[in-house]
Amino acid sequence: MNRHAYLDWPFFEERHVALARELDCWAAIHLHDPHGKDVDAACRALVAQLGEAGWLRHAVGGSEYGGAADTIDTRAICLAREMLARHAGLADFAFAMQGLGSGAISLFGTREQKGRYLARVAQGAAIAAFALSEPQAGSDVAALQCAARRDGDGWVLDGEKTWISNGGIADFYVVFARTGDGGGEGGRGARGISAFIVDAGTPGFEIAERIEVIAPHPLARLRFTGCRVGAERMIGEEGQGFKVAMATLDVFRTSVAAAALGFARRALDEALAHAQARPMFGKTLADFQLTQARLAQMATDIDAAALLTYRAAWMRDQGRRVTKEAAMAKLAATESAQRVIDGAVQLFGGLGVASGQVVESLYREIRALRIYEGASEVQLLIIARELLADARPGAA
Ligand SMILES: Cc1cc2nc3c(=O)[nH]c(=O)nc-3n(C[C@H](O)[C@H](O)[C@H](O)COP(=O)(O)OP(=O)(O)OC[C@H]3O[C@@H](n4cnc5c(N)ncnc54)[C@H](O)[C@@H]3O)c2cc1C
């Protein structure tokens, strides 16, 4: 089977094809899943390893700051995530968080901010995190309450963030906080939010709680108590934080779809091999039409998800607005990957739920992708909002 056949789709340029092939090969040799029990150490080691091998250059934008290209290359990020996810979930996580955590700086940072952070992120010398969600503001992110008030020539942050990936091991956090009235009831709303860079170890910043999840990776609740940062730590303009967050998510939401695709492709590889090897009723599992129908559905789901994912990535790289297309890609790819992986677990029978089996770990890995960076229901609402706006009388 030619596992790279889809790379000749018109979405990709030569550099993308080369990246995907080389990373797939490298990952097969260097990445080993499952990792040990100490997930923090494993994640730190993966960031260093991916940085040293040069792959993290694709997670940041700006060649003068260590990036592989002048701007964020969405297709490169997506292909990298797909390849890494196919081999090791934690490696995909490590790559993705370097990109998501520094994405606001790549897209909106000053020269000074880019110089200070991006090269270290690209080398794997600094670990990044993106802190948007709060205990009372997950899907309803515009309800965020973490506050930043002006204090002389700086800002003072007070409040909490939760579900923050890399929380506890990150060297810096991009934190979204309320600096003004949001325009809605009780001051909430998308206006009046600003983005700040907070270094680990800044007085008044602490890890309030570590959170354990079904597919272990570093995750924490953060607390800010009179945490002072200089004015030069603001990313973009005051009050533009929501725009900064959404533009970052437009890139990384599509890359969540790509990671789901990598997990699903691995599940299909495992299912094909197992179905052909497993003797049953004097034949093999693959000889039965029920099995063939399942495999056919899995492959079709995967190609449909890949088309939506790389359409969104390609469109963004053309400089087009992709809010709807990124939401469609994330919705379709994560939901169908869950079905594909569940189908693979079923084909494995009892082995499918045995700890240590690849399909068992994929089953745990995929679940959170349907929730974070906007749950599937939120993606549906985004798609519907865009559709209705387009269909409004007088809309271009
Ligand atoms: C493993 C993991 C890693 C994460 N990493 C990060 C990170 O690095 N940085 C960060 O800022 N956040 C992160 N998050 C947070 C994530 O983005 C939120 O969990 C997500 O946005 C959902 O918010 P919530 O958990 O508060 O759920 P809620 O907002 O309480 O939503 C619960 C459920 O309600 C449903 N729902 C939502 N809206 C609607 C609606 N309008 N109508 C009907 N149903 C609806 C959805 O099914 C949703 O799952 C992470 C989460 C997880 C699980």
Side-chain angles (χ1 to χ4, degrees):
M1 183 172 67
N2 178 3
R3 55 197 257 136
H4 296 135
Y6 63 99
L7 291 174
D8 64 11
W9 286 357
F11 300 120
F12 306 118
E13 292 168 37
E14 261 174 49
R15 68 177 191 281
H16 297 120
V17 178
L19 166 68
R21 286 183 189 281
E22 285 164 24
L23 180 51
D24 195 23
C25 240
W26 180 88
I29 297 166
H30 293 95
L31 296 181
H32 307 286
D33 227 12
H35 47 80
K37 279 206 171 5
D38 185 345
V39 77
D40 287 5
C43 200
R44 281 196 187 97
L46 278 165
V47 171
Q49 192 184 9
L50 291 168
E52 207 172 299
W55 304 118
L56 292 178
R57 293 182 308 113
H58 298 280
V60 304
S63 36
E64 34 172 329
Y65 308 105
D70 282 342
T71 51
I72 281 190
D73 181 338
T74 323
R75 287 165 293 173
I77 289 178
C78 287
L79 284 166
R81 289 202 65 180
E82 185 189 328
M83 294 303 155
L84 291 170
R86 197 163 177 163
H87 292 276
L90 198 63
D92 163 59
F93 168 81
F95 177 92
M97 285 316 304
Q98 290 300 88
L100 177 65
S102 66
I105 302 175
S106 286
L107 293 170
F108 296 94
T110 59
R111 290 186 67 78
E112 196 273 333
Q113 289 168 345
K114 289 180 179 177
R116 190 179 176 126
Y117 292 99
L118 293 186
R120 289 193 295 140
V121 169
Q123 290 156 8
I127 296 182
F130 176 85
L132 180 64
S133 305
E134 297 182 6
Q136 304 307 327
S139 304
D140 184 9
V141 71
L144 69 81
Q145 291 172 356
C146 180
R149 67 182 156 78
R150 253 186 214 286
D151 179 51
D153 59 354
W155 294 87
V156 174
L157 274 69
D158 283 285
E160 284 199 350
K161 294 284 167 188
T162 194
W163 303 114
I164 306 309
S165 298
N166 276 347
I169 69 162
D171 294 292
F172 70 93
Y173 298 75
V174 169
V175 180
F176 296 85
R178 188 162 292 290
T179 49
D181 191 275
E185 206 177 307
R188 60 198 291 292
R191 278 186 251 151
I193 294 170
S194 304
F196 298 91
I197 309 169
V198 180
D199 287 338
T202 305
F205 167 57
E206 63 181 323
I207 302 300
E209 178 194 11
R210 292 297 300 266
I211 305 168
E212 294 195 7
V213 283
I214 54 175
H217 67 253
L219 198 65
R221 180 162 58 88
L222 319 179
R223 185 179 296 130
F224 302 90
T225 318
C227 175
R228 193 173 195 290
V229 294
E232 78 289 350
R233 292 312 178 94
M234 184 181 279
I235 305 174
E237 313 252 308
E238 182 181 340
Q240 295 294 304
F242 195 76
K243 185 178 121 190
V244 171
M246 293 306 126
T248 309
L249 289 175
D250 272 352
V251 176
F252 288 93
R253 218 164 240 167
T254 309
S255 83
V256 176
L261 194 54
F263 291 138
R265 286 198 200 279
R266 178 63 183 268
L268 179 59
D269 291 348
E270 298 290 323
L272 285 167
H274 180 75
Q276 287 172 295
R278 173 70 173 157
M280 200 178 283
F281 304 111
K283 299 182 176 183
T284 71
L285 181 55
D287 289 321
F288 294 94
Q289 286 186 336
L290 282 172
T291 310
Q292 291 166 14
R294 190 187 291 279
L295 293 169
Q297 190 60 57
M298 288 161 87
T300 306
D301 275 345
I302 286 173
D303 270 12
L307 285 162
L308 282 174
T309 301
Y310 290 110
R311 173 186 71 162
W314 173 82
M315 279 180 67
R316 192 191 167 279
D317 288 342
Q318 308 307 304
R320 287 155 69 174
R321 187 167 179 272
V322 291
T323 303
K324 181 177 74 185
E325 289 77 10
M328 284 179 167
K330 183 180 186 274
L331 173 70
T334 58
E335 291 289 331
S336 72
Q338 181 86 63
R339 286 195 300 276
V340 168
I341 292 167
D342 189 62
V345 167
Q346 194 71 13
L347 280 175
F348 270 74
L351 271 182
V353 290
S355 298
Q357 286 291 324
V358 172
V359 291
E360 178 269 345
S361 115
L362 291 169
Y363 192 76
R364 289 184 289 103
E365 288 284 358
I366 190 59
R367 192 61 186 87
L369 277 66
R370 292 167 57 209
I371 297 171
Y372 63 58
E373 293 191 38
S376 293
E377 290 77 1
V378 171
Q379 307 307 328
L380 285 167
L381 292 174
I382 294 171
I383 297 163
R385 187 190 64 207
E386 297 284 316
L387 277 180
L388 290 166
D390 279 352
R392 209 176 293 136

